[in-house]
Amino acid sequence: MTQKARKILVTSALPYANGPIHIGHMVEYIQTDIWVRFQKMRGNQCIYVCADDAHGTPIMLRARKEGIEPEALIARVAKEHKADFADFNVGFDNYHSTHSDENRHYASLIYQRNKDQGNISNRTITQAFDPVEEMFLPDRFIKGECPKCGAQDQYGDNCEVCGASYSPNELKNPVSAVSGATPVDRDSEHYFFKLGNFEAMLKEWTRGGHLQDEVANKLGEWFEAGLHEWDISRDAPYFGFEIPDHPGKFFYVWLDAPIGYMASFKNLCDRTADLAFDDFWGRDSSAELYHFIGKDIIYFHALFWPAMLHGADFRTPTAVFSHGFLTVDGQKMSKSRGTFIKARTYLDSLNPEYLRYYFAAKLSSGIEDIDLNLEDFQARVNSDLVGKVVNIASRCAGFIKKRFDGKLADQLDNEALFETFVTGGNHIAECYENREFSKAVREIMALADKANQYIDEKKPWIIAKEENREQELHAVCTMGLNLFRLLIGFLRPILPATAEKSEAFLQVPPLAWQDLDRPLLDHAIAAFKPLMTRIETSQIEAIVAASKEDLEQQGSTTTISDGPLAKDPISETIEYPDFAKVDLRIVKILKAQHVEGAEKLLQLTLDLDGETRNVFAGIKSAYDPEELEGKLTVMVANLAPRKMRFGVSEGMVLAAGPGGKDLYILTPDSGAEPGMRVK
């Protein structure tokens, strides 16, 4: 019995339109694309839409800096983004922009419907104003101490350390990230979304199987803290949509960004005869709706977004799937180490499907970070894809072409082995469906090992040299190519371009999942051409070197964030008075010890001229606690205490180096004493 095709709409978080795509971003788009391609292979109607997130102050300021209009900037970046995604074989059904007529329409509609339902309020607030730039400061252009946990250098809307969400006026010791000036208070009328009106609905929705368990548990903490009203307006100057009937007031970018999912789909519907918007977004829609996002933007997608939709009489998502960030060689992507790799820099040297495969081999349904270990990346691709999968075809195809006029035999040599592969495909399909891609890859490679074992045991190269074994050679090579076809079919969601080349070689239409259980017999194939080549160390070295060159050419540092919708400003230079505020003091390490449950931290007890300070330092990878005790080092003595999971850290010790074992605390020359100021 044929299963009825599902109707599915899928989105990824919208990349921000003021900078290039990097490989950290690609984790999400590759993950989403693999899932979508699998659904299409299963015969489901699965539509994948996305868009550039094109509004906000960062774009306005960057365009001003470049001397162009914001529209010119976002058009240029959109072209670059589309090229990067296309070359990574990310198959969007539509890629649009939040700066569009469709998005203006739905942003205004959702706002008005919620306003009519009593979910919007307005009041005058005191807001941070940059006296140098003469502009109100958006949340992420104010930095200071988190009002919840005391973490330093946090943005004005949410804390990256404890995950708290708050208003900019709650931030402690704020500074403008635009000019460096201390903001002054100015009154301004703002508009708010009453999130608290949806508390009962959201509690039910977040515990209704729409989120991963760990995400739902985290949201439970936020419910306990209370749901606050959400400021959805911003003052001019601002690049975005003006709020209807409120001149000089604009929708906050986070209001219209997720609405961009709807806008992109509407844009596709208007160009596609058999697609109806309400079939997927109407309150009574039976279609499935899934969002793939980074774990840093859960709050917006799992609370504000379903509440906004519900209040405007639209359906809510079937599920929101969150994922972790990408590290490279065990550390955060670094420009100085050449591991902050742009998508285009990677594409200039390597096949995109290598990275698609490696990410798939690491991805699960959870929100854990994944690591791109460059050495393991090279070894795994060369071993799995080139050495195992592609090698099967290359070992069998030549015999079929030369000895049998390019035509496969009319029966299999080992039907039981073929059925083992078909049965294994059922579990592989379950893994794909549940986003357990790493498990799917393990299953596929286990089958690849069986296929190679079969060929090694049969030794077609030996059979070919012996008389009266033509029929056996034909059957063995036909069997090998049928196992190859199954493996390529199972890998098709991950390796679409390689699958297309394989289909051309096998002279078959695009492989569908339901057709894989039927062997390819008495069928003509084309001449085999190499499908993949090995990764050479020089290629990886070229990528790392090019990424370092990018840093040298830029001459400035950009704040790095892995979240696709992050809107980080450029880190500006600071003035001497700002630096002079830092009080550096010589301290003696009285005691150093491991911190239970912490992978990177050591707990240091420091003597600051008779005063004892407790500091947690991320130097565990480089030092044993015993060798630190009694040493002098340098600390930032006037850093506000920071509440951490393991206790309160009362300062910061200084260290230098690329990281890992190559990390060195600063040690003063002889003659220094605890309490001395470093000048």
Side-chain angles (χ1 to χ4, degrees):
M1 181 176 178
T2 304
Q3 187 177 4
K4 184 179 179 182
R6 296 153 61 187
K7 294 173 61 175
I8 308 170
L9 178 60
V10 180
T11 76
S12 297
L14 313 187
Y16 201 46
N18 76 333
I21 302 298
H22 57 67
I23 60 170
H25 294 132
M26 290 310 305
V27 171
E28 178 168 311
Y29 303 101
I30 288 173
Q31 180 189 36
T32 315
D33 185 70
I34 290 172
W35 197 79
V36 169
R37 288 181 182 275
F38 166 73
Q39 297 298 341
K40 290 181 176 182
M41 274 192 76
R42 298 284 275 184
N44 295 319
Q45 180 187 26
C46 189
I47 301 164
Y48 182 17
V49 300
C50 197
D52 265 1
D53 181 6
H55 288 158
T57 301
I59 287 174
M60 178 186 73
L61 292 177
R62 179 172 175 180
R64 182 193 300 176
K65 184 177 180 180
E66 293 188 18
I68 59 176
E69 292 298 316
E71 290 82 358
L73 172 63
I74 63 175
R76 185 188 76 209
V77 173
K79 183 178 180 180
E80 295 169 355
H81 285 182
K82 289 177 183 178
D84 288 346
F85 289 135
D87 289 347
F88 261 104
N89 301 320
V90 177
F92 297 117
D93 291 286
N94 194 49
Y95 195 86
H96 204 37
S97 170
T98 59
H99 192 64
S100 63
D101 291 339
E102 297 92 346
N103 206 39
R104 183 190 297 273
H105 167 75
Y106 284 107
S108 300
L109 178 64
I110 287 174
Y111 168 80
Q112 190 61 51
R113 285 183 177 179
N114 274 289
K115 184 178 180 182
D116 293 343
Q117 293 296 321
N119 299 323
I120 306 294
S121 65
N122 64 291
R123 64 179 181 272
T124 298
I125 66 169
T126 301
Q127 192 182 6
F129 185 83
D130 188 323
V132 176
E133 292 291 330
E134 296 186 342
M135 60 180 286
F136 285 101
L137 290 168
D139 297 352
R140 294 187 72 82
F141 276 78
I142 308 170
K143 284 194 168 185
E145 301 170 24
C146 171
K148 307 294 184 183
C149 73
Q152 302 287 317
D153 201 33
Q154 297 303 308
Y155 293 109
D157 55 355
N158 71 286
C159 178
E160 295 179 345
V161 176
C162 70
S165 181
Y166 43 74
S167 299
N169 58 8
E170 296 179 80
L171 206 63
K172 297 178 182 178
N173 301 320
V175 296
S176 167
V178 182
S179 68
T182 300
V184 297
D185 292 340
R186 291 277 181 91
D187 287 344
S188 176
E189 184 180 32
H190 272 231
Y191 296 83
F192 296 83
F193 180 72
K194 297 180 178 179
L195 188 62
N197 287 3
F198 300 89
E199 183 172 354
M201 169 259 166
L202 287 172
K203 282 184 176 179
E204 181 179 356
W205 186 84
T206 56
R207 290 295 183 181
H210 306 289
L211 305 169
Q212 293 124 306
D213 289 342
E214 55 265 58
V215 173
N217 292 337
K218 181 64 178 177
L219 290 177
E221 298 175 13
W222 286 331
F223 281 120
E224 291 177 8
L227 300 179
H228 302 290
E229 290 188 341
W230 179 35
D231 190 342
I232 59 170
S233 65
R234 294 296 182 268
D235 295 277
Y238 194 79
F239 183 60
F241 294 141
E242 202 165 39
I243 300 177
D245 303 323
H246 300 294
K249 302 292 180 180
F250 293 79
F251 286 126
Y252 175 38
V253 62
W254 262 111
L255 180 133
D256 68 56
I259 295 172
Y261 305 143
M262 305 173 79
S264 184
F265 183 69
K266 174 61 174 174
N267 179 262
L268 179 64
C269 289
D270 290 344
R271 296 183 285 106
T272 308
D274 58 349
L275 274 184
F277 182 86
D278 287 342
D279 286 350
F280 288 81
W281 286 100
R283 174 60 70 88
D284 298 324
S285 170
S286 60
E288 300 169 50
L289 172 61
Y290 299 103
H291 301 306
F292 285 74
I293 64 165
K295 62 183 179 181
D296 57 333
I297 52 176
I298 287 171
Y299 197 89
F300 296 99
H301 281 80
L303 291 179
F304 295 122
W305 178 230
M308 285 166 51
L309 289 169
H310 187 78
D313 204 32
F314 288 108
R315 57 90 46 84
T316 53
T318 306
V320 176
F321 300 137
S322 303
H323 62 82
F325 298 146
L326 177 71
T327 58
V328 180
D329 288 339
Q331 301 180 60
K332 188 172 183 179
M333 292 190 300
S334 163
K335 290 183 176 179
S336 63
R337 291 192 300 272
T339 57
F340 184 79
I341 302 168
K342 296 177 183 176
R344 184 53 50 184
T345 304
Y346 174 95
L347 290 165
D348 287 342
S349 294
L350 283 176
N351 184 335
E353 304 223 315
Y354 297 157
L355 194 64
R356 289 177 64 102
Y357 176 76
Y358 192 77
F359 282 172
K362 295 274 188 170
L363 282 164
S364 71
S365 61
I367 61 172
E368 299 83 9
D369 295 348
I370 67 171
D371 183 57
L372 168 59
N373 181 288
L374 295 174
E375 184 177 339
D376 178 58
F377 166 63
Q378 178 185 3
R380 190 159 193 168
V381 167
N382 290 346
S383 172
D384 289 3
L385 297 185
V386 181
K388 293 182 181 180
V389 177
V390 172
N391 191 45
I392 296 170
S394 66
R395 298 170 85 183
C396 299
F399 295 117
I400 295 292
K401 197 66 180 175
K402 294 175 184 177
R403 305 284 281 267
F404 307 103
D405 296 324
K407 195 169 186 179
L408 299 176
D410 59 4
Q411 62 183 5
L412 294 174
D413 177 66
N414 188 331
E415 291 187 1
L417 180 59
F418 183 85
E419 287 302 319
T420 297
F421 274 55
V422 171
T423 302
N426 295 330
H427 186 241
I428 292 167
E430 291 178 9
C431 292
Y432 273 126
E433 177 66 41
N434 296 323
R435 307 178 324 284
E436 294 288 356
F437 298 161
S438 60
K439 291 182 180 179
V441 166
R442 286 197 298 273
E443 295 280 345
I444 294 168
M445 285 305 127
L447 292 175
D449 287 335
K450 289 181 182 293
N452 280 287
Q453 182 181 1
Y454 166 81
I455 295 171
D456 288 339
E457 290 174 352
K458 292 292 184 177
K459 297 179 174 58
W461 55 92
I462 299 296
I463 298 175
K465 296 177 181 179
E466 299 179 357
E467 295 182 3
N468 302 320
R469 299 186 70 181
E470 288 291 299
Q471 185 176 352
E472 182 182 357
L473 176 65
H474 200 186
V476 167
C477 291
T478 295
M479 182 70 192
L481 289 178
N482 267 276
L483 298 182
F484 168 76
R485 171 178 168 269
L486 282 167
L487 292 171
I488 285 296
F490 297 152
L491 286 167
R492 197 179 201 281
I494 301 170
L495 308 175
T498 303
E500 284 186 19
K501 293 179 183 178
S502 301
E503 290 156 359
F505 154 60
L506 295 171
Q507 297 190 145
V508 296
L511 294 168
W513 205 274
Q514 63 269 24
D515 297 332
L516 294 177
D517 60 353
R518 294 192 291 273
L520 196 64
L521 301 173
D522 196 24
H523 175 87
I525 63 172
F528 178 78
K529 298 178 182 178
L531 298 173
M532 285 185 171
T533 57
R534 292 173 57 85
I535 298 176
E536 301 297 336
T537 302
S538 59
Q539 293 174 293
I540 293 179
E541 290 174 344
I543 291 173
V544 173
S547 299
K548 289 180 179 177
E549 288 170 6
D550 286 344
L551 174 63
E552 292 167 3
Q553 292 166 6
Q554 290 168 4
S556 62
T557 302
T558 303
T559 301
I560 300 172
S561 177
D562 297 301
L565 275 164
K567 301 164 180 66
D568 294 333
I570 300 297
S571 298
E572 303 288 348
T573 57
I574 63 172
E575 300 296 331
Y576 181 79
D578 295 312
F579 173 75
K581 296 177 182 178
V582 180
D583 187 0
L584 301 177
R585 298 293 181 110
I586 304 295
V587 291
K588 184 177 182 179
I589 303 175
L590 299 177
K591 186 178 181 181
Q593 56 189 330
H594 294 291
V595 180
E596 184 176 353
E599 296 181 358
K600 300 178 180 179
L601 298 179
L602 291 180
Q603 183 176 3
L604 306 180
T605 302
L606 306 175
D607 173 22
L608 177 61
D609 194 22
E611 178 185 356
T612 300
R613 293 283 188 95
N614 179 72
V615 170
F616 293 96
I619 57 175
K620 184 176 179 178
S621 61
Y623 290 97
D624 292 322
E626 304 80 46
E627 65 182 289
L628 289 173
E629 293 183 0
K631 284 189 175 182
L632 297 179
T633 189
V634 179
M635 77 171 295
V636 181
N638 62 337
L639 192 63
R642 175 182 174 185
K643 184 179 180 181
M644 302 177 69
R645 182 157 60 99
F646 310 99
V648 177
S649 187
E650 302 171 304
M652 178 186 294
V653 296
L654 303 186
K661 293 183 178 180
D662 297 322
L663 190 63
Y664 309 96
I665 61 170
L666 301 192
T667 53
D669 293 334
S670 60
E673 295 179 1
M676 284 186 174
R677 187 166 188 174
V678 179
K679 298 183 178 181

